[in-house]
Amino acid sequence: MTSSEAWLEQLHDNGYRITAARRAVVDTVFGATHSLTPQEVYESARKKYRALGLVTVYRTLEKLEELHLIQRVHQPMGCHAFIAAGIGHQHLLLCQHCGQVEFFEGDDLDALTRSIAKKTGYQIQEHWLQLFGLCANCR
Amino acid sequence: MTSSEAWLEQLHDNGYRITAARRAVVDTVFGATHSLTPQEVYESARKKYRALGLVTVYRTLEKLEELHLIQRVHQPMGCHAFIAAGIGHQHLLLCQHCGQVEFFEGDDLDALTRSIAKKTGYQIQEHWLQLFGLCANCR
DNA sequence: TACTAATTGAAAATGTTTTTCAGTAAGGAA
DNA sequence: TTCCTTACTGAAAAACATTTTCAATTAGTA
Ligand SMILES: [Mn+2]
Ligand SMILES: [Mn+2]
Ligand SMILES: [Zn+2]
Ligand SMILES: [Zn+2]
């Protein structure tokens, strides 16, 4: 079972309909090892469903993000790309050469967070962490 | 001495000219406690120099970023805002309610970085860290 | 099978950033 | 100071990115 079926099921369970256009977008984003911009999703998904419109890509990405199935990837060069979301509390590791995206977990920022909270008076709610480097193939 | 003079000096030392338009932009961004979008910089700087054009704001921000005097701020709602850059190795702490921006330092991610490098085969070059919360006034 | 509301793609609208261009002015040289 | 070269300017146009509008289509249930 290509598990992109699970995403379609999620869409369906939330009252959204399953269409050929959405299948093409979901299949494209689900399997990606690199983050994809709406334009890139469009170009790739159109190979699976020729009549697809770019607007539908935007609309589908919006729904997938709302259901936390995908997440936006922030990079120095731009923040318009998406990737399948990590499960639980994870952060991204990005290859600066080939663009490959991986997740990691196990960061422990509690001590830092407490220390900064004390120092600044902030009540800290959330954090973003991202590592950049060269993947095994590119190094 | 309003230390935004130092920024103008930097511009000058790098072969850029000091103009009324640039003064207005530099003065605006230098003192800000919140990150500002180009549009916001434009609106604020125009109070100091009426003839200012939005294009010049974009062009000046570009140069200030190139000289590492300002940096882009990434946020869930958008990544188009800028703030005076931190000195040395620092990260941002953002108030989710009022938008105030502060810097902190002293994060130590060496152990984490080494562990992830080992686990993934990546050669890690850089990291982004950002804390979100409520500032002393807003909590 | 019939029905209804969600979904579609095209086109238009909106919003943001960059490029082009002819006039202006900064600032070093004389 | 004056002159001169060249960077800089704002307006307008162009290039992009994203959202809205709309009439036709279609998914999914009754
Ligand atoms: Mn974490
Ligand atoms: Mn750090
Ligand atoms: Zn970003
Ligand atoms: Zn790589």
mmCIF file of all heavy atoms in Angstrom, chain B residues 89-91 107 109 127 129, ligand 2:
data_model
loop_
_atom_site.group_PDB
_atom_site.id
_atom_site.type_symbol
_atom_site.label_atom_id
_atom_site.label_comp_id
_atom_site.label_asym_id
_atom_site.label_seq_id
_atom_site.Cartn_x
_atom_site.Cartn_y
_atom_site.Cartn_z
ATOM 1 N N HIS B 89 27.664 34.988 17.598
ATOM 2 C CA HIS B 89 26.736 33.865 17.454
ATOM 3 C C HIS B 89 25.552 34.019 18.399
ATOM 4 O O HIS B 89 25.659 33.764 19.582
ATOM 5 C CB HIS B 89 27.471 32.550 17.718
ATOM 6 C CG HIS B 89 26.616 31.349 17.499
ATOM 7 N ND1 HIS B 89 26.509 30.733 16.273
ATOM 8 C CD2 HIS B 89 25.792 30.685 18.325
ATOM 9 C CE1 HIS B 89 25.667 29.727 16.367
ATOM 10 N NE2 HIS B 89 25.217 29.667 17.602
ATOM 11 N N GLN B 90 24.449 34.479 17.835
ATOM 12 C CA GLN B 90 23.249 34.684 18.643
ATOM 13 C C GLN B 90 22.031 34.137 17.928
ATOM 14 O O GLN B 90 22.048 33.923 16.721
ATOM 15 C CB GLN B 90 23.052 36.182 18.896
ATOM 16 C CG GLN B 90 24.121 36.805 19.767
ATOM 17 C CD GLN B 90 23.724 38.182 20.238
ATOM 18 O OE1 GLN B 90 23.354 39.024 19.437
ATOM 19 N NE2 GLN B 90 23.793 38.401 21.531
ATOM 20 N N HIS B 91 20.969 33.939 18.685
ATOM 21 C CA HIS B 91 19.717 33.483 18.084
ATOM 22 C C HIS B 91 18.573 34.369 18.565
ATOM 23 O O HIS B 91 18.716 35.113 19.519
ATOM 24 C CB HIS B 91 19.437 32.029 18.456
ATOM 25 C CG HIS B 91 20.469 31.077 17.941
ATOM 26 N ND1 HIS B 91 20.609 30.777 16.615
ATOM 27 C CD2 HIS B 91 21.433 30.385 18.587
ATOM 28 C CE1 HIS B 91 21.595 29.925 16.454
ATOM 29 N NE2 HIS B 91 22.127 29.669 17.633
ATOM 30 N N ASP B 107 23.655 29.060 23.597
ATOM 31 C CA ASP B 107 23.148 27.733 23.261
ATOM 32 C C ASP B 107 24.351 26.852 22.977
ATOM 33 O O ASP B 107 25.342 27.290 22.403
ATOM 34 C CB ASP B 107 22.258 27.792 22.028
ATOM 35 C CG ASP B 107 23.016 28.186 20.779
ATOM 36 O OD1 ASP B 107 23.709 29.228 20.818
ATOM 37 O OD2 ASP B 107 22.945 27.479 19.768
ATOM 38 N N LEU B 109 24.990 23.433 21.133
ATOM 39 C CA LEU B 109 24.418 22.320 20.370
ATOM 40 C C LEU B 109 25.491 21.351 19.878
ATOM 41 O O LEU B 109 25.221 20.489 19.047
ATOM 42 C CB LEU B 109 23.623 22.867 19.183
ATOM 43 C CG LEU B 109 22.464 23.795 19.543
ATOM 44 C CD1 LEU B 109 21.768 24.287 18.294
ATOM 45 C CD2 LEU B 109 21.467 23.081 20.444
ATOM 46 N N HIS B 127 23.516 25.949 12.004
ATOM 47 C CA HIS B 127 22.192 25.665 12.573
ATOM 48 C C HIS B 127 21.387 26.942 12.747
ATOM 49 O O HIS B 127 21.933 28.030 12.858
ATOM 50 C CB HIS B 127 22.312 24.911 13.909
ATOM 51 C CG HIS B 127 22.993 25.698 14.986
ATOM 52 N ND1 HIS B 127 24.311 25.499 15.341
ATOM 53 C CD2 HIS B 127 22.547 26.680 15.785
ATOM 54 C CE1 HIS B 127 24.636 26.332 16.308
ATOM 55 N NE2 HIS B 127 23.590 27.075 16.600
ATOM 56 N N LEU B 129 18.285 28.364 15.166
ATOM 57 C CA LEU B 129 17.515 28.103 16.368
ATOM 58 C C LEU B 129 16.699 29.353 16.658
ATOM 59 O O LEU B 129 17.211 30.472 16.516
ATOM 60 C CB LEU B 129 18.448 27.789 17.539
ATOM 61 C CG LEU B 129 17.799 27.635 18.918
ATOM 62 C CD1 LEU B 129 16.798 26.481 18.925
ATOM 63 C CD2 LEU B 129 18.875 27.410 19.982
HETATM 64 MN MN MN E 2 23.707 28.462 18.119
#
